[in-house]
Amino acid sequence: MKLEIISADKILFKGDVQRVTLPGSLGIFTVLDHHAPLISTLTRGAVVYETDGGEKEMEITSGVVEVLDNRVVVCIN
């Protein structure tokens, strides 16, 4: 699936991933290929994603995520 992590001024990551784990407002959750559509707010924590190059982690303070059509867009503050 495609993952984009963006802020107001730049693209922090854009590429293919096998999974992404996010700090949702109601708890941590993981998105895999062909996940159901979803929109969620995000809280302080780590966005962890797995690429062919291994697992990567990015700390965030808040944001929102949209999952739709095998694409995950994370907008962080």
Side-chain angles (χ1 to χ4, degrees):
M1 82 186 129
K2 302 286 185 193
L3 171 64
E4 286 183 56
I5 303 174
I6 60 176
S7 67
D9 57 346
K10 64 182 174 179
I11 297 172
L12 302 167
F13 175 83
K14 184 175 185 177
D16 292 320
V17 297
Q18 287 73 43
R19 66 175 172 81
V20 58
T21 301
L22 301 148
S25 297
L26 298 177
I28 296 170
F29 64 97
T30 299
V31 176
L32 301 171
D33 277 345
H34 308 291
H35 195 285
L38 128 88
I39 294 176
S40 175
T41 55
L42 302 173
T43 61
R44 180 178 301 276
V47 175
V48 181
Y49 52 98
E50 184 179 344
T51 67
D52 288 337
E55 188 173 276
K56 300 187 175 151
E57 184 173 315
M58 181 180 302
E59 290 293 322
I60 65 167
T61 55
S62 65
V64 294
V65 62
E66 178 187 43
V67 178
L68 184 65
D69 295 331
N70 222 28
R71 184 171 170 224
V72 181
V73 179
V74 178
C75 300
I76 61 173
N77 299 333

